[in-house]
Amino acid sequence: MPHSSEFSRNGRLLLACVAGIAFGSVGIAVYSIGAFVDPLGRAFGWSRTDVQTALLFSSGLGGLAAPVVGHLVERFGARPMAMIGLVGVALGFVLAASNGGQLWLFYLAYTVIAILGGGSGPISWTYAIAGRFDKHRGAALAIALSGTGLVAIIAPPYIVWLTQEFGWRVGFLGVAALPLFVALPLAFLYFRPPDRTTLSEASGGAPTPPGLTTRQAIASYRFWVLLLSILAMYLGIAGIIPNLIPALADKGIPARSAAFATSAFGVSVIVGRLLVGSLVDRFWAPGVAAVILTPAAAGCLLLTGQPTIGVAIGAAVLIGLAAGAELDLLAFLTARYFGLRGYAKTYGLLYAGVALAGGTGPMAFAYIHQVAGSFDVSFAISAALFLLGGPAALTLGRYPRER
């Protein structure tokens, strides 16, 4: 079947993936929490570190669960795992809305998002994309993963408005509505990923899809290089995303203006996704990674001192381009270097490291602020991480010929 028909055949599935990634366990949890930091602090006296630690439970536990999710996706299919996960995410945010000041209950809510919502993470959606697209896999992954940019645009102003007008409880209920009433119906109607039989037929009737088993992938140096590169990048990105509004507020920028900087970040995430997706279908992906990821270090340095809102938006754009590239590259490079045979489990293991970074980054970022009295040290550390993670991708070497 002609490659040009890949998008026409799978357009509805792609739409479901965009919504699922936006409002699944990773996107909505990370991009919403920044707007709740100060309201929860005023309500219960919680520190910023207290609130940001919730992501250690959602992203951190989600990372530990990722290999299990990958195994379940390969055994039971991505469709049921994704739909159950979206319901789990909604339940977690409803639980957060019912909090009466108990920090442990707040962390339990984010644990529910990680465990019951784990199937709505990137593993399920990218597994479907990798199986349905070949020639335009990079572009398709970019479009699907632009859901994180979509939620970065929508969530901060939406939640700031809800919390300021109706209170933080309504804010959490408004977040819970997104996976339940937007992503879930689209997944029910349109998310029908390929099973292993379909993948085998696509590879010429072979009994298993082409590529390495997860054990073989782990034995490759490329697995560890890829993990190191993405881990360094995501530590920096995850630390900045939920702390951007509080950091800019500390520098005298009003919350609503800071929310627009986060929205600019979201726009650049989408641009970064689409740009990288288009480029990796044509050029060597590690080279593309180094060019797109490394300049984010300059964005971090621009946020030190007393930036104006214009400078903050420019910095957010540079960092957003890198954020738009990282998950797209992780999915693409996993499929390109290791094949589809053990994709879900291999990606799950790599994503576990990323998710653990996503859980510890915000907490560490907020803790450094608490100790140093400024976010500038955290921004400088993030710049160093970008300077490590971007160039590290260049050591991956040529694509394996058989894939």
Side-chain angles (χ1 to χ4, degrees):
M1 192 170 290
H3 294 303
S4 60
S5 68
E6 285 183 337
F7 284 106
S8 62
R9 286 185 286 118
N10 299 299
R12 292 180 177 180
L13 178 138
L14 200 54
L15 174 63
C17 290
V18 171
I21 287 172
F23 305 129
S25 60
V26 176
I28 194 63
V30 171
Y31 287 100
S32 66
I33 198 168
F36 290 110
V37 169
D38 289 338
L40 289 173
R42 290 191 295 268
F44 303 126
W46 295 346
S47 70
R48 288 173 173 175
T49 304
D50 290 336
V51 178
Q52 300 287 11
T53 299
L55 290 183
L56 179 61
F57 290 86
S58 65
S59 297
L61 289 178
L64 292 175
V68 177
V69 171
H71 173 75
L72 294 175
V73 165
E74 291 192 349
R75 182 169 183 180
F76 299 108
R79 177 177 165 84
M81 292 298 299
M83 295 179 65
I84 292 170
L86 290 170
V87 175
V89 172
L91 288 175
F93 282 114
V94 170
L95 183 59
S98 68
N99 194 286
Q102 301 92 347
L103 194 57
W104 69 268
L105 184 61
F106 184 62
Y107 294 157
L108 177 62
Y110 278 77
T111 300
V112 169
I113 292 170
I115 303 303
L116 295 184
S120 66
I123 296 173
S124 298
W125 314 106
T126 62
Y127 178 80
I129 296 297
R132 291 291 188 194
F133 289 83
D134 180 22
K135 180 68 174 177
H136 301 291
R137 182 179 292 157
L141 285 168
I143 293 171
L145 289 164
S146 67
T148 57
L150 178 66
V151 73
I153 296 169
I154 293 172
Y158 168 63
I159 299 167
V160 167
W161 172 74
L162 282 177
T163 56
Q164 290 183 348
E165 296 294 329
F166 306 105
W168 61 268
R169 294 186 192 278
V170 174
F172 276 118
L173 293 176
V175 175
L178 296 175
L180 198 59
F181 299 118
V182 178
L184 185 61
L186 289 172
F188 178 78
L189 292 173
Y190 303 134
F191 186 61
R192 302 188 182 279
D195 55 25
R196 294 186 71 83
T197 300
T198 304
L199 291 174
S200 297
E201 291 173 352
S203 61
T208 57
L212 304 179
T213 65
T214 301
R215 185 184 297 273
Q216 290 170 331
I218 293 172
S220 166
Y221 84 93
R222 292 186 174 102
F223 178 92
W224 300 102
V225 168
L226 185 55
L227 180 62
L228 171 65
S229 175
I230 298 295
L231 187 63
M233 299 299 304
Y234 208 71
L235 272 171
I237 291 167
I240 291 170
I241 291 170
N243 285 290
L244 186 57
I245 291 177
L248 295 179
D250 280 0
K251 295 174 183 293
I253 297 174
R256 290 197 177 187
S257 298
F260 283 114
T262 306
S263 294
F265 174 93
V267 172
S268 64
V269 166
I270 294 177
V271 173
R273 291 256 191 268
L274 299 177
L275 177 63
V276 167
S278 175
L279 291 175
V280 296
D281 283 332
R282 295 170 173 80
F283 304 105
W284 184 53
V288 174
V291 170
I292 298 294
L293 299 178
T294 308
C300 295
L301 297 178
L302 287 173
L303 289 171
T304 59
Q306 294 295 129
T308 64
I309 184 61
V311 170
I313 289 174
V317 167
L318 287 175
I319 299 168
L321 289 173
E326 37 80 28
L327 280 182
D328 189 6
L329 286 164
L330 180 60
F332 182 87
L333 292 171
T334 301
R336 196 69 179 83
Y337 280 100
F338 308 126
L340 298 180
R341 183 177 180 183
Y343 174 86
K345 285 188 281 189
T346 303
Y347 181 86
L349 287 171
L350 288 166
Y351 183 75
V354 172
L356 287 171
T360 56
M363 180 183 64
F365 207 99
Y367 178 75
I368 292 170
H369 165 266
Q370 186 173 313
V371 172
S374 169
F375 280 106
D376 287 356
V377 175
S378 297
F379 286 131
I381 293 172
S382 295
L385 290 169
F386 286 123
L387 290 174
L388 170 65
L394 296 173
T395 65
L396 286 169
R398 295 180 179 181
Y399 295 142
R401 179 174 298 178
E402 64 272 18
R403 284 175 288 287

